[in-house]
């Protein structure tokens, strides 16, 4: 038998936004390859670490750590906790972001550019971009000391294409009240690609590889008309299943991608090539 390129045995992976929808999937991918996921999130009560279900999905060594990635002190304390518990950190997945669901009407009030609140701009950038910067700064510096590590930034298909605002259109509303994907989402996700290239070159000699993944939308019980409209924009004709990014995350986190850094892996059912 040859080398198992995807093996993560004993490697510790910090996943921000780890208790969220995709964060849990990334954690399963890491655990499935023998790695140890640390699900780091501002909101931690969603998961019961003592349940058999938690153990089954994430492995007996996994942990959940509360962190506010917008705070340097909180990120430092996350790293301290991880090093105290495991003595090492090998992988950082910058996955946390404010993730507005424009297809659900309750969140659309201030989404339009003309009245987009400055506080919302700052809050979204603070989690999605500043948070990724701070986690990379604190955890990446530790990896650089050890001359080994992997950082994966979770961007979006909206890092490579503009949002198609027709997807969110509500015929009953006047033009100036139509919901749109907020400007911050495009800015944060595109910014992450820049951060990816910067860190990849900055830390190449320190043995840290840095890549981005750009997933397309995951089906999660969105309204039927939204799903139908979006699906017509996707050559594969459907949204992603929840677990369809696990293999890509494993690829990027493991030695399978050992000659890959500074790039963006787009997995979007073909949407951005149409
Ligand atoms: N779900 C999709 O269809 C999709 C598609 C493309 C990209 N993405 C990206 O994937 C990532 C995960 O998305 P998701 O669908 O799982 O969203 P989610 O909202 O379920 O998860 C985001 C997590 O980030 C956490 N978080 C927010 N602020 C934080 C802070 N200050 N400190 C620490 N944690 C914080 C939240 O508590 C939440 O658990 C996001 O970056 C999102 O933009 C998602």
């Amino acid at each position: 038998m040859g080398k198992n390129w995807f093996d993560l045995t004993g490697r510790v992976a910090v996943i921000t936004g780890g208790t969220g929808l995709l964060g849990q999937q990334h954690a399963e991918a890491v655990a499935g390859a023998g790695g140890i996921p640390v699900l780091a999130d501002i909101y931690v009560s969603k998961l019961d670490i003592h349940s058999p279900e938690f153990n089954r999905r994430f492995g007996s060594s996994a942990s959940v750590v509360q962190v506010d990635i917008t705070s340097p002190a909180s990120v430092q304390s996350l790293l301290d906790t991880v090093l105290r518990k495991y003595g090492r950190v090998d992988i950082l997945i910058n996955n946390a972001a404010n993730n507005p669901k424009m297809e659900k009407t309750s969140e659309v009030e201030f989404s339009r550019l003309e009245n987009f609140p400055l506080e919302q701009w700052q809050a979204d950038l603070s989690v999605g971009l500043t948070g990724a910067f701070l986690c990379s700064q604190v955890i990446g510096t530790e990896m650089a000391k050890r001359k080994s590590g992997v950082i994966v930034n979770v961007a979006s298909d909206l890092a490579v294409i503009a949002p198609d605002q027709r997807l969110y259109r509500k015929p009953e509303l006047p033009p100036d009240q139509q919901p749109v994907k907020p400007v911050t989402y495009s800015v944060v996700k595109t910014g992450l690609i820049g951060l990816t290239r910067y860190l990849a070159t900055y830390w190449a000699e320190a043995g840290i590889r840095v890549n981005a993944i750009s997933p397309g939308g995951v089906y999660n019980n969105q309204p039927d008309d939204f799903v139908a409209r979006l699906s017509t924009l996707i050559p594969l004709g459907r949204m992603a299943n929840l677990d369809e990014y696990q293999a890509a995350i494993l690829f990027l986190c493991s030695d399978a991608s050992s000659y890959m850094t500074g790039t963006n892996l787009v997995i979007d059912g073909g949407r951005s090539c149409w």
Side-chain angles (χ1 to χ4, degrees):
M1 276 270 283
K3 169 175 168 141
N4 178 3
W5 291 93
F6 295 91
D7 183 32
L8 294 180
T9 301
R11 294 191 206 171
V12 175
V14 172
I15 303 162
T16 71
T19 67
L21 185 71
L22 283 178
Q24 294 184 32
Q25 295 295 313
H26 308 332
E28 276 188 8
V30 166
I36 301 168
V38 176
L39 293 81
D41 206 294
I42 198 163
Y43 182 47
V44 291
S45 55
K46 276 177 269 185
L47 294 171
D48 173 8
I49 62 162
H50 301 297
S51 68
E53 162 82 356
F54 183 89
N55 211 35
R56 184 186 59 74
R57 291 182 66 196
F58 308 118
S60 55
S61 306
S63 47
V64 174
V65 179
Q66 191 183 20
V67 64
D68 176 0
I69 59 165
T70 67
S71 151
S74 183
V75 174
Q76 184 61 53
S77 135
L78 164 66
L79 175 65
D80 294 345
T81 303
V82 169
L83 292 181
R84 220 174 19 249
K85 181 154 188 194
Y86 303 106
R88 61 189 286 169
V89 59
D90 304 278
I91 297 160
L92 166 65
I93 305 180
N94 284 315
N95 165 77
N98 288 345
N99 210 14
K101 309 279 187 301
M102 303 326 299
E103 60 281 3
K104 312 225 168 110
T105 38
S106 56
E107 294 180 47
V108 304
E109 204 180 346
F110 294 113
S111 71
R112 294 194 67 81
L113 186 80
E114 291 83 349
N115 24 330
F116 195 75
L118 178 58
E119 301 74 45
Q120 192 61 46
W121 169 273
Q122 280 161 341
D124 291 348
L125 264 65
S126 173
V127 177
L129 266 185
T130 311
F133 159 68
L134 288 174
C135 290
S136 302
Q137 183 180 48
V138 170
I139 297 172
T141 299
E142 173 64 25
M143 292 172 175
K145 270 191 225 154
R146 290 157 197 246
K147 292 266 175 209
S148 160
V150 170
I151 297 176
V152 177
N153 294 321
V154 179
S156 160
D157 53 2
L158 297 187
V160 290
I161 54 173
D164 187 338
Q165 307 293 11
R166 294 171 299 183
L167 284 172
Y168 311 102
R169 203 169 273 171
K170 301 248 176 288
E172 67 280 13
L173 292 176
D176 63 347
Q177 286 172 31
Q178 287 294 333
V180 290
K181 194 81 170 177
V183 60
T184 42
Y185 199 75
S186 290
V187 170
V188 162
K189 295 308 181 184
T190 309
L192 281 176
I193 306 297
L195 182 68
T196 301
R197 293 195 191 104
Y198 187 96
L199 296 177
T201 48
Y202 187 84
W203 274 327
E205 287 179 15
I208 303 178
R209 294 189 301 104
V210 187
N211 290 294
I213 177 171
S214 281
V218 174
Y219 178 69
N220 187 27
N221 298 309
Q222 290 91 342
D224 289 347
D225 59 332
F226 171 81
V227 175
R229 263 182 282 177
L230 177 51
S231 299
T232 64
L233 300 178
I234 300 172
L236 291 187
R238 62 175 178 84
M239 297 181 76
N241 298 323
L242 191 50
D243 63 1
E244 279 185 303
Y245 300 113
Q246 285 203 18
I249 287 288
L250 178 54
F251 170 65
L252 291 175
C253 290
S254 67
D255 295 349
S257 58
S258 57
Y259 194 55
M260 184 170 169
T261 199
T263 197
N264 178 29
L265 183 56
V266 180
I267 304 190
D268 63 353
R271 182 175 173 191
S272 58
C273 75
W274 234 350

